Amino acid sequence: TQTGIIHALASGVDIVEVDIVPCQDGWIASHDIRLSVSTEAGGLTTEKTEDEIREIRVKLANGEASEEHLLTLSDVLAIAASHGNGADHDGYLVKLDIKFSNQELEDRLVDTILTSGIPLTKILMTCGFANISQRIATLCPELPFELNTVEPTMFLTQYELMDQELMPEVFLSYVRSFARLTNAKVVSMMHFAMQKWGDTVTRKLLAGIAKMGLDSQVWVVGSLRDYKKYGEIGATYALMHNPKLI
């Protein structure tokens, strides 16, 4: 929501992450294409225009409608530009996480970013699906990316490939391969997997990522203890749902 983005930027966090999905004629800020998940409306985001999206109110945690309305991607970028101190903001300003895509609207996504007035160096793109990331990177090779590692992580955990020597090399091989296909600047790592694999493996992964000249992020971190631990062992960022903890 507008209030959430403004409060996050005002709190001094390094970067604000906003999930995006397509609507009928553009892109909006939402984690899910099902409107009933977080709004008073029903149906799918892909059935609504941007103008219709702006009229839909977001639900509070208790299920009641709030005074906040859904935002389009243009709205999000305008808010970030107005409240993120622009070029004075150190590092990235906003990260856009594509949760669902419509290939026919990916040109529109890139155009919206390019016409936002925010320098590309302040925007970070990410997506859990490597093929979507590659398509966006082809449309705009200069757009910085965070390499999402959900796919190799789920493969390794599903088949319980826990070998302390082999597993890090498999993971880092994926990073080396796909980082070249996008303008990757950051590599994201899943907190639950780091807990499962242990600190020894996590240190190897973070060191390997740093050796490639890439930053790293661990998500989602829910405690101050883990936030401090990842900083101590080499992570660049920690994604938190509650930045008030720090």
Side-chain angles (χ1 to χ4, degrees), residues 165-234:
E165 297 298 328
L166 176 61
M167 193 279 292
E169 186 52 40
V170 172
F171 186 98
L172 292 172
S173 293
Y174 178 93
V175 172
R176 277 191 291 269
S177 297
F178 282 93
R180 291 194 293 266
L181 300 178
T182 62
N183 185 23
K185 303 295 184 183
V186 183
V187 178
S188 70
M189 303 162 64
M190 301 175 76
H191 172 54
F192 94 88
M194 301 306 104
Q195 287 183 306
K196 187 179 183 68
W197 295 338
D199 287 353
T200 299
V201 167
T202 300
R203 287 176 186 273
K204 288 182 179 180
L205 296 178
L206 290 171
I209 291 168
K211 191 174 181 180
M212 296 179 211
L214 301 171
D215 288 337
S216 55
Q217 175 203 258
V218 181
W219 63 280
V220 172
V221 178
S223 70
L224 183 59
R225 182 190 65 182
D226 285 333
Y227 171 82
K228 290 180 177 178
K229 180 190 77 172
Y230 285 122
E232 291 168 355
I233 64 177

Side-chain angles (χ1 to χ4, degrees), residues 24-185:
Q24 193 177 95
D25 58 351
W27 293 80
I28 70 168
S30 178
H31 185 276
D32 204 297
I33 63 170
R34 297 169 298 168
L35 287 165
S36 60
V37 173
S38 59
T39 79
E40 62 178 350
L44 304 176
T45 65
T46 51
E47 299 168 341
K48 306 288 185 182
T49 65
E50 288 190 342
D51 288 340
E52 291 171 328
I53 286 293
R54 289 189 172 107
E55 298 300 317
I56 298 174
R57 292 192 297 175
V58 177
K59 287 192 297 191
L60 298 169
N62 62 9
E64 296 180 359
S66 72
E67 295 304 314
E68 300 267 11
H69 292 78
L70 280 177
L71 302 172
T72 67
L73 175 57
S74 296
D75 297 331
V76 168
L77 295 175
I79 294 166
S82 297
H83 295 271
N85 298 321
D88 295 329
H89 185 89
D90 186 21
Y92 301 109
L93 179 61
V94 61
K95 177 167 65 174
L96 303 174
D97 189 349
I98 303 171
K99 293 299 183 183
F100 181 82
S101 189
N102 176 347
Q103 189 169 354
E104 294 180 357
L105 289 172
E106 288 172 355
D107 281 331
R108 177 74 179 271
L109 168 61
V110 172
D111 288 341
T112 302
I113 293 170
L114 293 176
T115 58
S116 68
I118 300 177
L120 289 184
T121 53
K122 301 292 181 184
I123 295 176
L124 199 60
M125 294 296 301
T126 191
C127 182
F129 303 98
N131 61 324
I132 296 175
S133 294
Q134 290 176 56
R135 291 202 304 262
I136 301 297
T138 299
L139 292 172
C140 185
E142 299 82 16
L143 189 60
F145 265 83
E146 174 188 277
L147 178 59
N148 189 305
T149 58
V150 168
E151 291 174 336
T153 298
M154 298 310 294
F155 173 82
L156 290 165
T157 54
Q158 178 181 354
Y159 293 100
E160 298 187 347
L161 301 179
M162 301 294 291
D163 185 279
Q164 298 264 316
E165 297 298 328
L166 176 61
M167 193 279 292
E169 186 52 40
V170 172
F171 186 98
L172 292 172
S173 293
Y174 178 93
V175 172
R176 277 191 291 269
S177 297
F178 282 93
R180 291 194 293 266
L181 300 178
T182 62
N183 185 23
K185 303 295 184 183

